[in-house]
Amino acid sequence: MEEKLFKILKKIYFKKKYIKDINGYLREIDCGDEFDCKTKTTHYATNNLTSTEQTYLAESGYNVNEIIHLTHNQCIEKYKVILQNENITLEHCLSAFICGFESFPRGRQPILSYLFAKAVPIHEFTDEGCCPVCSIKNNNWIHCGEKIFRLYHGYSWNEGWDTYVLDLEEFSQLLPCKPTENDINIFRAVIECIRNASAEETPSQLEQRLRKAKIIPYYEKYRVRGQLITLAELGIMPNMYIKPLYDGFTAFKERCNISHKGKGCVRSDIVLPLSGWRGSNPINEERLNDLFGDIL
């Protein structure tokens, strides 16, 4: 994605919806966006763009408000089909993950999506609400424009698998990326920081150390957390509660039960397997070497 287009999309999707009045109080402003209660998606207005930006956006062909509908069964089928694409390999996804530390933030999510696509069993929707196997609902409306933009912004996560099928489909159309020397140095520094964790250190305390150490450029809590989640799902940051996606699949219902029962795992904004990590067992060195030995 070109930098100019990215900046325009940021003005659309990341509007500031509140301003301070003369008394210092936050006041909501009308940004023109409309929320659809049926699809649970937002129709984003573009009236905050300049005429030049409007023209550039139109000529780019980027569909700001494209909404697609996918059933649960369609999502699972798409995940399995995309694995046949020659650009969707473990090697390419791991390389993109390293690039995600600086040169290519878009590269952070594909490895998580790839691991899920490989691990999730083929199954059909048989329940109300969300699927107890994979958490995907029977009907899903996905805001493609916003989701793709957030991927380029560097967000990654190991939940919400109905939307991340788009990640692999878009990623499959991109040329493989090669980590820069700086990407690798940042990754090395992050690994060393994890190695130096105190025995009782928690994921949130690790995040604070990473922020203070200024290792990762443009540090933002949830984007960095996504990168740590990846290290946990690869089994590089071990936990004692649940196997990482790299080692196999754990049904959504079982993951929920483990999250509620596991000592020290209950935290609203940090999820398994990262929430089960502790500094007493900082790095699985063998796994690290198996996956990233050539790069490191």
Side-chain angles (χ1 to χ4, degrees):
M1 181 180 291
E2 294 180 354
E3 184 177 358
K4 185 174 181 178
L5 176 60
F6 179 84
K7 289 181 177 179
I8 291 173
L9 294 176
K10 190 173 183 180
K11 289 181 65 174
I12 297 172
Y13 295 127
F14 285 179
K15 295 187 185 80
K16 293 183 178 180
K17 300 182 181 181
Y18 297 88
I19 61 172
K20 286 187 177 181
D21 62 19
I22 58 175
N23 297 313
Y25 294 105
L26 288 176
R27 179 168 61 85
E28 187 172 4
I29 60 173
D30 182 10
C31 60
D33 297 342
E34 297 179 359
F35 184 73
D36 187 323
C37 294
K38 178 184 177 181
T39 64
K40 301 296 189 296
T41 59
T42 299
H43 183 279
Y44 290 93
T46 60
N47 53 9
N48 63 325
L49 302 181
T50 66
S51 59
T52 301
E53 290 170 336
Q54 292 274 9
T55 300
Y56 188 90
L57 179 63
E59 291 177 349
S60 75
Y62 195 93
N63 195 333
V64 171
N65 285 303
E66 180 185 6
I67 308 294
I68 64 170
H69 171 261
L70 290 177
T71 66
H72 166 281
N73 295 350
Q74 287 173 327
C75 284
I76 296 301
E77 180 182 4
K78 281 178 172 289
Y79 272 120
K80 296 305 182 182
V81 169
I82 197 65
L83 290 175
Q84 306 306 313
N85 188 291
E86 61 182 9
N87 284 337
I88 303 300
T89 65
L90 178 63
E91 181 183 9
H92 287 172
C93 291
L94 289 175
S95 181
F97 171 68
I98 300 298
C99 294
F101 279 94
E102 183 184 54
S103 66
F104 189 51
R106 168 69 180 89
R108 296 173 187 173
Q109 178 64 41
I111 182 59
L112 287 172
S113 301
Y114 172 84
L115 292 176
F116 177 82
K118 291 278 287 185
V120 65
I122 297 175
H123 64 286
E124 295 188 353
F125 190 86
T126 58
D127 207 341
E128 297 292 331
C130 63
C131 176
V133 177
C134 66
S135 80
I136 298 175
K137 296 179 180 179
N138 193 27
N139 289 287
N140 307 277
W141 285 268
I142 305 170
H143 195 298
C144 299
E146 181 186 16
K147 176 54 63 177
I148 295 298
F149 167 76
R150 288 182 176 274
L151 291 171
Y152 277 92
H153 204 319
Y155 286 103
S156 56
W157 212 253
N158 64 339
E159 294 180 325
W161 295 116
D162 56 324
T163 65
Y164 287 123
V165 68
L166 295 180
D167 167 45
L168 292 181
E169 289 186 333
E170 205 261 357
F171 183 69
S172 70
Q173 301 172 32
L174 305 178
L175 293 174
C177 56
K178 183 177 181 180
T180 66
E181 184 177 350
N182 214 34
D183 292 330
I184 296 170
N185 287 337
I186 294 169
F187 179 57
R188 284 193 183 114
V190 169
I191 292 298
E192 194 60 29
C193 191
I194 299 171
R195 283 193 182 111
N196 293 331
S198 62
E200 298 302 317
E201 185 163 280
T202 64
S204 61
Q205 290 168 340
L206 171 61
E207 290 174 350
Q208 293 171 21
R209 280 204 302 121
L210 286 169
R211 177 178 59 81
K212 292 177 181 178
K214 298 182 179 180
I215 293 171
I216 301 175
Y218 309 109
Y219 182 100
E220 194 272 331
K221 181 171 71 171
Y222 290 106
R223 282 184 287 181
V224 171
R225 183 170 298 168
Q227 291 170 292
L228 296 180
I229 284 173
T230 296
L231 293 176
E233 289 287 20
L234 288 170
I236 291 172
M237 292 178 67
N239 82 100
M240 61 181 292
Y241 300 100
I242 193 171
K243 62 185 175 185
L245 270 174
Y246 184 85
D247 292 326
F249 189 78
T250 302
F252 173 67
K253 186 174 182 179
E254 184 179 349
R255 288 176 76 100
C256 291
N257 291 335
I258 295 172
S259 293
H260 286 101
K261 294 178 181 179
K263 182 179 178 181
C265 284
V266 180
R267 183 178 171 87
S268 61
D269 60 349
I270 298 183
V271 297
L272 283 170
L274 178 61
S275 63
W277 173 86
R278 290 297 180 270
S280 55
N281 192 16
I283 292 287
N284 181 334
E285 299 289 351
E286 182 178 355
R287 179 65 55 82
L288 175 66
N289 186 64
D290 287 344
L291 296 178
F292 295 108
D294 291 342
I295 294 176
L296 294 177

